[in-house]
């Protein structure tokens, strides 16, 4: 069982930068590969994938809405997932979630759904104004 805890939510200005963190831990102490992801959810909308990363290969994928502005990364030593957000826009306001699934592949950001990921953080609010 993987546990994830997000941090770094808060209020930021349009055009500004912000970084989210997600501490990842596995109660089974697995040393296998993971697909880690950031999702976000606007009020009244379905949760949508923002970015994914494979921990062992570093392969990443981004949603079109954040491509060129956001960067997903993973620090293997700290087992921490990050989302660096630059040039923030009003539409970036959402609750952001980190998620994980064991394996060497990630589902496509364009088609992935919540059920593709077995473990989730509780979410952290990012408000851009």
């Amino acid at each position: 069982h993987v546990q994830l805890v997000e941090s770094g939510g808060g209020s930021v200005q349009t055009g500004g930068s912000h970084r989210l963190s997600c501490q990842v831990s596995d109660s089974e102490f697995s040393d296998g590969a993971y697909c880690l992801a950031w999702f976000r959810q606007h009020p009244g909308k379905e949760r949508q994938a923002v970015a994914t990363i494979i921990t062992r290969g570093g392969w990443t994928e981004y949603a079109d809405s954040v491509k060129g502005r956001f960067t997903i990364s993973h620090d293997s030593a700290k087992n921490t997932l990050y989302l660096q957000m630059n040039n923030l826009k009003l539409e970036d306001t959402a609750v952001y979630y980190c998620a994980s699934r064991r394996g060497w592949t990630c589902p496509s950001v364009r088609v992935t759904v919540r059920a593709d990921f077995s473990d989730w953080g509780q979410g952290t609010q990012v408000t851009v104004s």
Side-chain angles (χ1 to χ4, degrees):
H1 179 67
V2 177
Q3 296 180 346
L4 306 102
V5 180
E6 303 100 334
S7 62
S11 298
V12 294
Q13 298 294 313
T14 57
S17 297
H18 200 69
R19 189 179 74 165
L20 302 179
S21 300
C22 175
Q23 187 69 40
V24 183
S25 62
D26 189 341
S27 62
E28 298 179 353
F29 299 100
S30 174
D31 59 356
Y34 295 86
C35 173
L36 303 178
W38 287 100
F39 282 68
R40 67 185 182 186
Q41 187 168 18
H42 299 91
K45 303 294 184 179
E46 294 187 0
R47 196 169 298 183
Q48 299 182 20
V50 174
T52 61
I53 185 170
I54 300 174
T55 57
R56 294 300 175 90
W59 182 90
T60 60
E61 186 184 8
Y62 296 90
D64 289 342
S65 59
V66 307
K67 195 172 299 181
R69 299 188 299 119
F70 289 12
T71 302
I72 187 172
S73 62
H74 177 253
D75 186 326
S76 59
K78 298 179 179 179
N79 206 10
T80 301
L81 178 72
Y82 300 99
L83 184 67
Q84 178 66 46
M85 304 181 292
N86 298 326
N87 300 317
L88 284 161
K89 304 178 182 299
L90 292 176
E91 55 264 38
D92 295 322
T93 296
V95 177
Y96 285 75
Y97 300 85
C98 57
S100 76
R101 57 182 279 164
R102 292 186 176 90
W104 292 87
T105 62
C106 287
S108 173
V109 166
R110 291 177 173 83
V111 300
T112 190
V113 296
R114 284 186 63 174
D116 291 331
F117 291 84
S118 57
D119 299 284
W120 291 84
Q122 67 178 7
T124 187
Q125 175 73 44
V126 174
T127 301
V128 183
S129 62

